[in-house]
Amino acid sequence: MTPDNKSTTEAQYSVSPGLAKRLASLDLSLAFSSYQSGLLYLAGVKPDGGINIHQMAFPRPMGVHRHGAHGLSIAAGDQILHLQNVLDPDERMNSIFDAGFMPRQSEFTGHLDLHDLGIDADGRSIFVNTRYNCLATPDARHSFAEVWRPPFITAQVDEDRCHLNGLAMQDGTPRYVTAVSRSDTVDGWRDRRIDGGIIMDVQTNEIVCQGLSMPHSPRLHDGRLWVLNSGKGELGEVVFDDDGHGRFVPHVFCPGFARGLAIHGRFAFVGLSKPRYKRFEGLELDARLSQADSAPWCGIQVIDLTTKTCVDWLRIDGAVAELYDLELLPGHLCPLAIAPGTAEATSLITTAKAH
């Protein structure tokens, strides 16, 4: 296993013996973000069969979204960065990398505590504006334009009231969001971390599931809504009744604060963080870890949804303890990403083919 840019952070990586073979069999690699380390990680398989972890510094990377044939977008600090893979299928960088995601556009928003990110059917960036309790899109003149706001939030105000965080897109449209609470007072969500979590249907303005503990990363897959009940370390799904109301059904306990979810076939890739800070303490996760005689993880677990077991994993120890989002890169086994302002970004010139 080879981590690129080793000096960027002191971290130790370990992987399950079968991870490289599984990624190769699925023909995909992983992209995951850590605002704590300020790095975007791309984990893939080298031509010789070993795991490669490429890491590149971005400003406070959070939401990661794969879209179109070549796009990879990142909610990064005060902007949304749009990268494009510039390699054709038969091309390689340094004889190793089969995808090179280069910066091509940036949308400046200012510091809005950007969380999950999507691209809609019109190509607009749709992001969770946690600081202003809404879904928003970049605006040509202003910091953002509000797209949707929970009806219990009574004003567009610079107060993180409910800690809106997760976004599930459906057919190029925002469909579901997660929030830590339905609070309508500044910082009110911190007192509701244990059981105040909700999932809302953006199209109907209805709360479709409640009683969760700090839910994150809602994702639609094969018509089913999956979510991470982070405060309890649970991966599960929302089962709906005929009236459109749902209940959370946990499937797997994961040993860490779960954030970042992507599903391919029957495999769920779950990001885990160590609950080190006050906003993570005092949750049921602590007791469940103690009962399992387990320490919390930072890394990624691959869960087989048919057997409800962890079949492969990537673990990070040392300086990095928190991840945020996770995305799959189908069709690419060994990718890299380049940040704006780096020597590689300014020196590598690619040209579109003439028509």
Side-chain angles (χ1 to χ4, degrees), residues 224 226 235 237 249-253 266 302-311:
R224 299 163 71 181
W226 296 85
L235 163 66
E237 67 174 306
V249 177
H251 284 263
V252 183
F253 172 68
R266 72 176 195 268
V302 185
I303 307 296
D304 187 328
L305 295 174
T306 59
T307 62
K308 300 182 180 180
T309 58
C310 174
V311 293

Side-chain angles (χ1 to χ4, degrees), residues 315-334:
R315 182 164 176 163
I316 307 175
D317 292 293
V320 181
E322 292 187 49
L323 307 181
Y324 180 72
D325 203 8
L326 183 154
E327 182 65 286
L328 303 180
L329 304 177
H332 305 301
L333 281 181
C334 194

Side-chain angles (χ1 to χ4, degrees), residues 9-342:
T9 185
E10 296 179 4
Q12 296 81 48
Y13 304 91
S14 57
V15 300
S16 60
L19 181 62
K21 183 177 180 180
R22 189 172 306 278
L23 294 179
S25 68
L26 297 175
D27 191 29
L28 56 79
S29 52
L30 312 175
F32 54 99
S33 61
S34 170
Y35 57 86
Q36 182 203 23
S37 67
L39 295 173
L40 175 73
Y41 303 84
L42 301 181
V45 182
K46 296 184 293 185
D48 65 6
I51 290 288
N52 186 79
I53 299 177
H54 179 271
Q55 52 193 41
M56 178 59 65
F58 288 88
R60 201 175 187 272
M62 293 283 284
V64 182
H65 184 64
R66 180 79 168 99
H67 55 92
H70 309 292
L72 181 66
S73 296
I74 309 166
D78 57 5
Q79 60 192 307
I80 297 170
L81 293 171
H82 300 288
L83 314 182
Q84 291 282 324
N85 172 34
V86 299
L87 297 184
D88 287 334
D90 60 338
E91 295 179 323
R92 297 293 181 270
M93 286 184 178
N94 299 333
S95 303
I96 296 176
F97 301 105
D98 62 355
F101 290 96
M102 300 291 294
R104 288 296 177 252
Q105 290 181 307
S106 173
E107 296 174 298
F108 188 81
T109 63
H111 287 289
L112 299 175
D113 196 12
L114 308 174
H115 275 62
D116 277 14
L117 172 66
I119 304 295
D120 73 6
D122 296 322
R124 298 186 307 166
S125 301
I126 304 294
F127 60 89
V128 178
N129 182 345
T130 303
R131 183 170 160 181
Y132 282 81
N133 312 284
C134 68
L135 296 182
T137 190
D139 184 79
R141 182 182 179 194
H142 301 289
S143 298
F144 68 93
E146 185 177 277
V147 172
W148 176 87
R149 187 196 323 158
F152 56 78
I153 299 293
T154 53
Q156 186 187 91
V157 61
D158 181 11
E159 296 177 353
D160 179 3
R161 296 181 173 184
C162 64
H163 204 68
L164 196 70
N165 56 56
L167 168 64
M169 301 288 289
Q170 183 178 46
D171 301 325
T173 302
R175 183 59 196 272
Y176 296 103
V177 296
T178 50
V180 175
S181 77
R182 66 182 82 182
S183 304
D184 193 31
T185 58
V186 61
D187 216 32
W189 63 271
R190 292 187 188 273
D191 300 317
R192 302 289 286 119
R193 296 174 304 137
I194 294 176
D195 59 3
I198 60 172
I199 302 174
M200 292 199 67
D201 187 327
V202 174
Q203 295 181 4
T204 65
N205 280 339
E206 296 290 332
I207 294 174
V208 297
C209 190
Q210 55 190 321
L212 302 172
S213 179
M214 299 192 74
H216 283 80
S217 308
R219 302 291 183 258
L220 285 161
H221 179 70
D222 288 341
R224 299 163 71 181
L225 176 60
W226 296 85
V227 69
L228 298 174
N229 196 25
S230 308
K232 294 185 178 182
E234 296 172 333
L235 163 66
E237 67 174 306
V238 178
V239 177
F240 290 92
D241 61 24
D242 293 338
D243 294 327
H245 297 102
R247 59 185 177 89
F248 176 74
V249 177
H251 284 263
V252 183
F253 172 68
C254 301
F257 190 85
R259 277 183 312 195
L261 172 65
I263 303 175
H264 182 89
R266 72 176 195 268
F267 298 106
F269 295 75
V270 179
L272 299 175
S273 298
K274 296 180 180 179
R276 300 196 312 163
Y277 299 111
K278 288 184 178 180
R279 64 180 177 273
F280 297 150
E281 293 173 350
L283 302 170
E284 187 176 321
L285 174 61
D286 295 336
R288 296 193 68 173
L289 286 167
S290 178
Q291 291 169 4
D293 193 22
S294 178
W297 272 47
C298 176
I300 295 166
Q301 291 196 342
V302 185
I303 307 296
D304 187 328
L305 295 174
T306 59
T307 62
K308 300 182 180 180
T309 58
C310 174
V311 293
D312 277 304
W313 46 265
L314 183 156
R315 182 164 176 163
I316 307 175
D317 292 293
V320 181
E322 292 187 49
L323 307 181
Y324 180 72
D325 203 8
L326 183 154
E327 182 65 286
L328 303 180
L329 304 177
H332 305 301
L333 281 181
C334 194
L336 63 76
I338 301 300
T342 60

